[in-house]
Amino acid sequence: MPCGMQDNVSISDAGEDGCRQRRRHFSFSMPGDKRGSKLGCEILDNGMSFQFPVGDNFNSEYDSSEDDDALTAGLLPVPVQERHDFPYLVAGACFLTAVSGFINATAILTGGNGVTHATGSTTFFAVDTIKGDFSSMQYAGTVLASFLAGAITCSCLGGHDSEKFTMKQSNGMFLIVIGLLLTAGLAAEENMSDNLLGHSLLSYSNGMQNALCTSFSGAVIRTTHVTGMLTDIGISIGHYTHALIRGTLTTNPPPDTWKLFILVPQYLSFFLGAVTSVYFYSLMGIRSGYLASLPTTLLGMMYVFASTKGAFDSMVEEERAAQEMESLERKLSIAIQSVLQHETNPSGHQFILK
């Protein structure tokens, strides 16, 4: 049976500690009920209580503030595309992707292979192995191993975090290290006749960066190569086209269309980073790479400073509150269904959410 709902949200001070508490009030009316039965509900940050009179003596209450597990169990994560900081996430991903495009083009212009991905290095390593070219095989194998070592280092030091897109201070520390490694690799390229050490450091830093972004986003954001980006872009466009042809675009839209708002700008950022690198390399030579490495270090320092000052605390708190509200609203939906099923019951009823 359909029901109408009015929803109001207010913030008030509650409790001896003076902490602010979000109160969300719901009132439901059930059309067709001659008794004009209504359901009133109030959701609090620390619990939920509601009353719904149905019939003459029907009165039910539930207060979950005494049971913390009832509040925290089964929290629904806020979709990243609906978060208020989503544009900043996209901007950060595009910046790091542009840096990768810039550094990769610089490495190629110095007479080496790409350092931001493993596909080319693996292919060269295989070809050089069959040809018996030990020198080239050593170069390709070292660059390849460096990329892998960078990913291992990042994962080993960063650990595993089940919550994705979490703004942690360690992310900024990794960015500082990555920027310094890029700078060291460029300095080695500039001052040494053999570019093996420089390219290895560049590859190592990109392995760290890609592992950082992949772990942070749950493999949605990968910043050092475009093969995965183009694949995901193709998949998302294919799902969108399929829904458009079937006429289900509005009723059952594909769940991954939002990824295009990250992946397409990322791909363009990699391309523009490479184009910019070629231009500045013609003016500055290998030193042009510092235009990418130094801003990366600066970004990491700004990130750590902002985290130290608690700039991300409000984001975490708001996302946590949103998750709790989503969970409570889901439980409330279950309660409403129970009310509608028992609305003809004239006796008192006690309903408990689990």
Side-chain angles (χ1 to χ4, degrees):
M1 178 183 297
C3 60
M5 178 179 72
Q6 294 181 344
D7 179 3
N8 298 291
V9 179
S10 63
I11 303 293
S12 61
D13 292 330
E16 297 179 356
D17 57 357
C19 294
R20 294 206 311 169
Q21 191 167 224
R22 183 182 286 102
R23 297 175 179 270
R24 190 164 188 170
H25 306 275
F26 295 88
S27 62
F28 299 87
S29 61
M30 288 167 276
D33 187 352
K34 296 181 180 179
R35 296 186 301 275
S37 301
K38 290 182 179 293
L39 177 150
C41 170
E42 180 178 81
I43 292 181
L44 305 172
D45 275 353
N46 64 342
M48 179 171 67
S49 62
F50 57 85
Q51 295 181 344
F52 40 93
V54 180
D56 297 332
N57 301 315
F58 189 91
N59 186 30
S60 177
E61 291 189 16
Y62 172 69
D63 188 351
S64 66
S65 60
E66 297 179 358
D67 186 3
D68 292 336
D69 293 336
L71 177 66
T72 59
L75 294 180
L76 296 176
V78 178
V80 63
Q81 68 272 23
E82 297 179 7
R83 285 171 41 168
H84 68 282
D85 59 343
F86 181 68
Y88 300 102
L89 293 175
V90 175
C94 289
F95 171 79
L96 292 178
T97 306
V99 167
S100 295
F102 195 108
I103 293 297
N104 198 50
T106 301
I108 293 175
L109 290 172
T110 59
N113 301 329
V115 295
T116 62
H117 55 275
T119 305
S121 297
T122 302
T123 303
F124 281 114
F125 183 74
V127 172
D128 294 333
T129 300
I130 299 300
K131 292 171 60 177
D133 188 345
F134 179 77
S135 177
S136 298
M137 182 179 67
Q138 181 186 22
Y139 169 85
T142 303
V143 172
L144 179 63
S146 298
F147 189 94
L148 177 62
I152 293 174
T153 302
C154 181
S155 298
C156 180
L157 297 179
H160 175 72
D161 192 352
S162 58
E163 295 186 12
K164 306 305 178 184
F165 296 99
T166 304
M167 310 295 282
K168 300 186 300 182
Q169 183 173 335
S170 60
N171 296 338
M173 298 298 296
F174 276 119
L175 288 177
I176 294 175
V177 173
I178 290 169
L180 293 176
L181 286 171
L182 289 174
T183 302
L186 292 167
E189 290 272 354
E190 183 180 0
N191 296 289
M192 299 180 65
S193 57
D194 186 359
N195 60 10
L196 178 60
L197 176 60
H199 279 193
S200 297
L201 288 172
L202 295 179
S203 182
Y204 182 87
S205 63
N206 276 277
M208 288 188 65
Q209 177 182 310
N210 201 49
L212 174 65
C213 295
T214 301
S215 300
F216 170 77
S217 65
V220 174
I221 298 175
R222 286 159 292 190
T223 59
T224 64
H225 57 279
V226 298
T227 303
M229 293 180 204
L230 287 178
T231 302
D232 291 343
I233 288 173
I235 291 174
S236 298
I237 293 177
H239 288 165
Y240 183 90
T241 305
H242 177 76
L244 183 64
I245 294 174
R246 291 176 59 89
T248 60
L249 195 58
T250 56
T251 58
N252 187 26
D256 56 355
T257 304
W258 66 271
K259 292 182 180 179
L260 294 174
F261 293 98
I262 293 182
L263 298 174
V264 172
Q266 272 193 273
Y267 179 80
L268 296 176
S269 297
F270 191 96
F271 177 80
L272 291 176
V275 170
T276 305
S277 174
V278 174
Y279 173 75
F280 282 103
Y281 189 88
S282 65
L283 301 177
M284 304 169 59
I286 187 63
R287 293 184 179 182
S288 62
Y290 298 131
L291 297 176
S293 65
L294 295 180
T296 301
T297 305
L298 180 61
L299 176 63
M301 295 174 63
M302 294 173 58
Y303 188 107
V304 172
F305 178 78
S307 178
T308 303
K309 295 299 182 179
F312 303 130
D313 293 346
S314 59
M315 295 183 184
V316 174
E317 182 180 350
E318 290 177 6
E319 298 304 330
R320 179 68 176 178
Q323 289 182 5
E324 293 176 349
M325 189 63 66
E326 288 284 345
S327 178
L328 291 174
E329 289 178 354
R330 180 178 61 178
K331 296 175 182 178
L332 178 59
S333 176
I334 299 174
I336 295 171
Q337 295 298 322
S338 177
V339 171
L340 297 178
Q341 293 174 3
H342 293 86
E343 65 173 335
T344 58
N345 184 359
S347 61
H349 174 71
Q350 184 76 17
F351 183 84
I352 298 179
L353 297 179
K354 296 183 179 180

